[in-house]
Structures are given as structure tokens and as C-alpha cells.
């Protein structure tokens, strides 16, 4: 039935960032480097070409995360109208804290994305992945590290608000680079 449709969760680590933020803002204020901007645009094009335009984006309030999503929109205009919720909790979040944010996603959302940070984002990918059903190539990439502007695509049968445990199928891990 229609309510059994696959739910998709795209977990995204922000793009390449300057080493230090403004003195008044510190880490939270670190901005993207030009390379990060280009990588973000490439990631936006990839997301759309892979048919993963989100219904909802949950974005860390850190400058680098906000700028990452903005760069992705520059990369592909199809992302311009996506609803974005900025959530301070995503900054510095553990996998468990990210699940709390996810628990508030409305049931009608078929595809959601989180733009956040390491180690929380790759940690959540690992936590949600059912090793029995994961794509082997994706697992290999995940285990090799989760550099900036990497996205992991997880598929599940439950509403995203119910995500938890090793219940989702890891289908893809993609690192976007401007020169791709």
C-alpha cells in the first residue's frame, strides 16, 4: 500500500571549512572555503541527479552547515524550494541526539536530509545501517572514513520519526568534489 513506500534519509557532512571561525563565534562561525563551496555545489547536482530531492532538510545552525546547504542549492536550482529547519541541536550532536531531532520529522516526509557534522553524522549512519542488507560498496566507503561533503543514503520502511536500531539499508555513500 502507499503508506509502505520506502522512506529515504540522506545524512550529510558539511563541506570543507576554514580552520578557525571569527573570534566572537569560534567553531560555530567557521565558514566554507572556496573548495567547500564548489564541493557543495557538486553535491547539490548529485543529490538531484540521483532523485534524492528532500521533502525536508534538518540543518545545523553552524555557519558551515548553513552554507553547505546554500551551496547545494546553488549547484542545483531544484533544491531552492525545499523546506529547511535549522536546529541548534544538530551542532555537536551525538548519534542519539540526532535521532531525537529525527523523531520530530512529520510522517508524511518521504525523503529527509540532515546537514551536520562528524563524528555524529557518520556515527548515526553506522548505527542505523543493517549490516545484512547494506550495499557492500557503500559499507566499504563508510568504513574508509567520512570526509567533508560526504552523503550517506539510508532506506527504510518505517516513518523517519521512528528511525533507530540497525533497521535501515545503506544504499550509497557519496563524496562530492567540485572537479567531478
Amino acid at each position: 500500500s502507499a503508506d509502505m513506500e520506502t522512506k529515504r534519509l540522506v545524512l550529510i557532512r558539511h563541506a570543507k571549512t576554514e580552520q578557525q571561525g571569527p573570534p566572537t563565534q569560534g567553531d560555530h562561525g567557521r565558514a566554507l572555503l572556496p573548495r567547500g563551496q564548489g564541493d557543495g555545489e557538486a553535491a547539490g547536482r548529485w543529490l538531484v541527479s540521483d532523485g534524492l530531492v528532500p521533502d525536508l532538510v534538518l540543518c545545523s545552525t553552524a555557519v558551515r552547515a548553513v552554507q553547505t546547504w546554500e551551496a547545494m542549492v546553488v549547484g542545483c536550482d531544484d533544491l531552492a524550494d525545499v523546506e529547511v529547519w535549522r536546529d541548534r541541536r544538530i551542532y555537536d550532536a551525538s548519534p542519539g541526539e540526532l535521532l531525537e531531532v529525527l523523531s520530530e520529522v512529520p510522517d508524511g516526509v518521504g525523503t529527509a536530509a540532515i546537514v551536520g557534522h562528524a563524528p555524529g553524522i557518520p556515527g548515526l549512519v553506522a548505527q542505523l545501517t543493517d549490516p545484512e542488507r547494506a550495499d557492500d560498496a557503500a559499507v566499504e566507503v563508510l568504513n574508509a572514513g567520512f570526509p567533508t561533503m560526504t552523503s550517506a543514503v539510508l532506506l527504510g520502511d518505517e516513518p523517519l520519526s521512528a528511525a533507530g536500531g540497525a533497521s535501515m539499508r545503506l544504499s550509497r555513500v557519496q563524496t562530492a568534489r567540485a572537479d567531478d
Side-chain angles (χ1 to χ4, degrees):
S1 64
D3 55 358
M4 284 301 293
E5 70 179 318
T6 302
K7 305 291 188 188
R8 303 181 303 177
L9 179 61
V10 187
L11 295 174
I12 302 169
R13 183 180 176 197
H14 65 78
K16 189 78 176 163
T17 308
E18 60 187 2
Q19 289 302 310
Q20 282 180 310
T24 52
Q25 296 181 42
D27 182 74
H28 196 268
R30 286 163 55 201
L32 293 193
L33 291 167
R35 196 195 102 192
Q37 176 70 29
D39 292 350
E41 291 175 20
R45 290 190 292 273
W46 167 74
L47 200 66
V48 172
S49 69
D50 236 42
L52 293 166
V53 176
D55 302 306
L56 177 63
V57 173
L58 306 164
C59 188
S60 163
T61 52
V63 169
R64 58 189 177 277
V66 172
Q67 290 181 337
T68 293
W69 178 252
E70 288 171 351
M72 291 174 74
V73 173
V74 170
C76 193
D77 202 34
D78 291 7
L79 300 172
D81 295 329
V82 172
E83 187 171 345
V84 180
W85 294 357
R86 291 189 191 176
D87 195 320
R88 171 77 197 200
R89 294 172 297 173
I90 297 170
Y91 175 68
D92 223 11
S94 66
E97 288 166 326
L98 290 171
L99 280 178
E100 251 170 69
V101 173
L102 258 183
S103 74
E104 295 162 21
V105 170
D107 285 353
V109 170
T111 303
I114 301 181
V115 182
H117 309 267
I121 288 282
L124 182 57
V125 176
Q127 194 172 308
L128 288 175
T129 295
D130 173 358
E132 296 297 305
R133 296 190 302 151
D135 178 85
D136 293 339
V139 171
E140 221 168 283
V141 177
L142 178 65
N143 290 341
F146 209 89
T148 55
M149 211 54 262
T150 297
S151 305
V153 182
L154 292 151
L155 309 175
D157 304 317
E158 301 292 320
L160 292 170
S161 58
S167 61
M168 298 187 81
R169 190 165 73 76
L170 181 65
S171 69
R172 184 97 191 249
V173 179
Q174 166 84 12
T175 299
R177 291 292 176 252
D179 44 21
D180 287 353

